[in-house]
Every structure is written in C-alpha cells, then in structure tokens.
Amino acid sequence: MKDPILNRHLVINPDLVVLSPAMVPRTDAPQISQMLKVPLNENKFFLEAHVKLRPVDFATEGVFLAGLAHSPKTIDESISQAKAAAARACTIISKDKYEAEAIIASVNEDICSGCGVCESVCAYGAPEIVLKEGKRISQVNEALCKGCGSCVSSCPSGAMQQLGFKSQQLFAMTDAALK
Amino acid sequence: MNKDFKPKIIVFCCNWCSYAGADLAGVSRLQMKPYFRVIRTMCSGRVDPEFVLNAFTKGADGVMIAGCHPGDCHYINGNYKTRRRYLLLKQMIAQLGINPQRLRLEWISASEATKFQQTINNFIDEITKLGPQSQYPYGEV
C-alpha cells in the first residue's frame, strides 16, 4: 500500500485485516422523519437541533438522537451520545410541569376568517380550525407550536401573530435600520 | 455611478442557520462592507412578503433573505415556503417597478461564514452598481 505521509510504498504482513466499511443511513429514515416530524440532513441521517448548542435534541420536543442514526461514528461516541440523550430526556421527565416555548403563534379571533391556510402550512399540526360560537376560527395548540412563524407570514387576514416576532415589531426594526 | 453611494441593505436571517453563519463570520473577523443590517427571524418562512415591500418602500436599496439549505430547515420545511414566496415576490416587485435583482434569496448554513461574507460583499457590490433605488420615482424596470 502507499503511505501518503511517508510518500512511499509499504509492505505490511498482517495476521488479521479488519476493514472499516462505509456506513449508510437506514432506508426507513425518511418514514421515521415524517412520523416524528424531525429533520434529515442531505445524506439522510437525522439532523440535530443545533450542532453546538443542542447536539442530541431535535427541534421537536421530547425526541432525542443518538448513535448511527445521527452520523457514522464509533461505538464509544455512540455510547457517550446515548448517555447525553438519556440525560436530556431526564430533564423533561423529572419535572411535574413542562414550560412551553414563549415565541409561539397566537390568533386574534376577532380578525380570523377561518380560511385554514395556517393549518395547511404548519409542519407540526399546531393550528386547527374549530367552530367557536358558530364561527370558524383557527386555534393554536400551544404545546405543538415550535414558533417558526410560517403560519404568521401566510395568514391573509393578519390574524395570526408570533409572540416576540409580531409584524409590527419587525416593521419597526426595518424602519429603524433604514433611518 | 456615484462613488459616495452607500447602499442600505436589509438582510433577513433565519435564527438557526444564516444568523449563526453571520455570527460566525463576525467572530472569525471576516471583513464585510458595513452597508447591511441583519434582522433576525426564527425561520426564513417567517419573512412575510410585506416585510420586503415595506423595506423597499422605506428606502432599502436591496433586500436579502437568508435561510437554511433546502432539507436542513430547523422547522422541517419553512425554507421551501420561503422559496415559493420569493419566486412570486420577484415577479411582483418587477411589476411594481423595482429591479428584481434588488431582492435575493440565499441558503447559508451555520458553518458557512465565508459564504456569508462573500454573498454579502457580492450583493453590496451589485447593489452599488445598480445605484440608489430612489433615483427611479416612476420605476426602474
């Protein structure tokens, strides 16, 4: 074989040769991804919420990631990642109450026309059209909402607002930046 | 071309990829022209076409929307919605008399600090070449 560091050919006589074959993601990963609403990267491995800040979490609450589902890695790395995932899961299980995200979508029921656009664009199924006092309006399930704001930007009547990222706030930011 | 022209550029960055990429570009001390302002949204899917139109109305010379690469969206598919909106919006601003080159959509991941720098500098150069948007009160296209 050729050694790239020495830049010359070496002859080795081993008793046992162990090959490290390519690791490929499972073929059913896309189905699981759709079922649990968790993202995959371009190579069809699961994608964590943030590489540095939340390495074993998914954006979807309560789903964690470890091992070869994430990327090709050694067994040591898989074990430490699994321990981390278990610890992260404990942070949820150990509490009696769970605090939801603050930056979720909220509906102004007076303006909402119940068109259902928010329901169709949401990847998490958080907004839902319900009948309230004989009127079709959207209602956001606060536990499911992840706060992406897709429904807010697609709401034709401006009834949907994202707390912390209200349209008025973003307009004000743009205006200030252009002064 | 006016040499003293300092364009005003608004960049909408998604919290998870492009904003982190911009952050990394800053931390890595990559040099960028100081004519852009970043506005953070949680997802590029939050960028309402109204925000872009508002920016152009208030005197922005260019608007860039930056999000995660297709398939990498933190919110599963927000950036696909952005892409659809962007394509419609580009046609719309042309009808309103704004050069569609003044609006750009870019995919920048959290690790692509150099891409952020290059894209920003490149966009600023392009906008500087186009000149101020306000010089065309009856539309430039």
Side-chain angles (χ1 to χ4, degrees):
Chain A
M1 55 165 260
K2 170 145 183 179
D3 188 304
I5 297 170
L6 301 174
N7 200 18
R8 57 155 89 146
H9 286 274
L10 299 179
V11 179
I12 304 171
N13 298 310
D15 296 321
L16 179 68
V17 176
V18 182
L19 293 175
S20 170
M23 288 183 188
V24 291
R26 282 179 65 104
T27 48
D28 57 1
Q31 278 108 292
I32 295 175
S33 155
Q34 290 210 322
M35 203 191 298
L36 298 176
K37 302 203 168 18
V38 292
L40 292 172
N41 67 16
E42 58 198 5
N43 298 319
K44 301 281 179 283
F45 285 106
F46 287 95
L47 182 73
E48 68 276 50
H50 193 282
V51 183
K52 288 174 185 164
L53 302 177
R54 295 171 68 194
V56 292
D57 298 34
F58 280 116
T60 311
E61 297 294 329
V63 189
F64 303 96
L65 169 74
L68 294 178
H70 173 240
S71 65
K73 52 170 66 86
T74 63
I75 196 153
D76 298 11
E77 288 169 329
S78 294
I79 291 170
S80 24
Q81 205 182 9
K83 280 181 176 168
R88 290 293 293 152
C90 285
T91 60
I92 294 181
I93 301 169
S94 59
K95 282 187 209 148
D96 293 335
K97 282 185 183 167
Y98 185 70
E99 277 186 29
E101 290 230 33
I103 44 164
I104 53 165
S106 78
V107 190
N108 183 337
E109 296 183 354
D110 296 334
I111 307 177
C112 180
S113 59
C115 65
V117 167
C118 48
E119 202 180 11
S120 62
V121 296
C122 184
Y124 304 95
E128 200 181 359
I129 298 295
V130 293
L131 266 179
K132 195 171 173 186
E133 293 159 12
K135 192 188 162 203
R136 268 167 55 91
I137 53 154
S138 169
Q139 214 165 45
V140 179
N141 185 332
E142 294 175 356
L144 291 177
C145 180
K146 294 282 155 276
C148 65
S150 286
C151 55
V152 187
S153 48
S154 54
C155 179
S157 43
M160 194 69 89
Q161 281 302 334
Q162 187 182 11
L163 304 176
F165 287 87
K166 287 184 185 156
S167 298
Q168 289 311 321
Q169 292 174 307
L170 286 154
F171 282 140
M173 275 194 243
T174 318
D175 294 354
L178 291 171
K179 265 206 181 109
Chain B
M1 193 178 94
N2 182 0
K3 281 237 167 83
D4 298 328
F5 172 52
K6 290 173 181 161
K8 285 179 174 173
I9 290 167
I10 296 287
V11 184
F12 290 101
C13 281
C14 89
N15 183 50
W16 304 97
C17 293
S18 313
Y19 198 75
D23 190 50
L24 186 64
V27 171
S28 320
R29 301 186 182 197
L30 300 177
Q31 296 299 309
M32 284 173 276
K33 293 181 178 147
Y35 304 133
F36 68 101
R37 297 288 177 272
V38 173
I39 294 182
R40 181 176 70 109
T41 56
M42 287 310 281
C43 178
S44 55
R46 174 69 185 94
V47 181
D48 197 315
E50 222 180 316
F51 297 168
V52 176
L53 296 176
N54 176 55
F56 281 128
T57 320
K58 298 283 166 66
D61 299 306
V63 175
M64 185 155 92
I65 307 170
C68 309
H69 284 270
D72 275 357
C73 182
H74 181 82
Y75 297 108
I76 301 170
N77 54 16
N79 50 2
Y80 292 129
K81 291 165 199 151
T82 316
R83 186 163 62 184
R84 283 183 221 159
R85 279 191 200 121
Y86 162 80
L87 291 171
L88 284 172
L89 193 57
K90 252 192 131 87
Q91 294 181 4
M92 188 179 163
I93 61 164
Q95 289 169 9
L96 293 172
I98 301 166
N99 189 338
Q101 278 179 300
R102 293 186 186 275
L103 175 65
R104 216 193 250 194
L105 175 68
E106 288 288 342
W107 309 128
I108 300 166
S109 84
S111 55
E112 290 175 329
T114 35
K115 182 173 176 191
F116 185 84
Q117 178 208 25
Q118 283 162 3
T119 315
I120 288 285
N121 281 339
N122 178 300
F123 189 50
I124 289 176
D125 289 347
E126 204 171 288
I127 296 296
T128 314
K129 245 178 242 164
L130 287 175
Q133 204 231 126
S134 52
Q135 69 182 335
Y136 307 97
Y138 303 106
E140 58 178 311
V141 276

